[in-house]
Amino acid sequence: MVEDIPGAKRPSYSIVYDAEDLTQFFSEVSIIEENGVPYLKAVYKGKKPVSERILKLDAERFQKGELPLSNLLNKYCSYIVASY
């Protein structure tokens, strides 16, 4: 478990299954809001569309540049890499 932003007033954490950088497997990464709910949208290995509901706090921090893409993918998409 890794603290996304060390020392943040409102901490959030990511579970890291593998130390490998997951950004190499994902393209077209974006945060989309649907009916007031943020989703991480991406394409895994150029083929599989990914749509994961994420915390509003994580969406805000990612869009502000406070939460790195690698942490966001580790938190919400590690299971995809582990299962394929």
Side-chain angles (χ1 to χ4, degrees):
M1 186 172 264
V2 175
E3 189 173 8
D4 290 322
I5 304 171
K9 186 175 182 179
R10 295 171 32 196
S12 65
Y13 299 88
S14 297
I15 295 173
V16 179
Y17 292 99
D18 192 338
E20 186 173 25
D21 182 11
L22 300 184
T23 58
Q24 64 183 322
F25 301 116
F26 294 87
S27 60
E28 302 176 40
V29 179
S30 62
I31 304 295
I32 306 294
E33 195 167 303
E34 296 176 0
N35 298 320
V37 178
Y39 287 86
L40 167 68
K41 302 278 187 171
V43 176
Y44 177 66
K45 291 191 174 180
K47 297 178 186 173
K48 180 179 175 44
V50 175
S51 179
E52 290 293 325
R53 184 176 180 167
I54 66 173
L55 295 173
K56 188 170 185 131
L57 177 60
D58 288 336
E60 291 170 4
R61 287 179 170 170
F62 177 73
Q63 291 170 335
K64 288 179 183 177
E66 297 171 352
L67 180 62
L69 177 59
S70 59
N71 289 32
L72 193 66
L73 292 173
N74 275 329
K75 187 170 189 172
Y76 294 100
C77 299
S78 291
Y79 76 94
I80 296 169
V81 176
S83 63
Y84 287 91

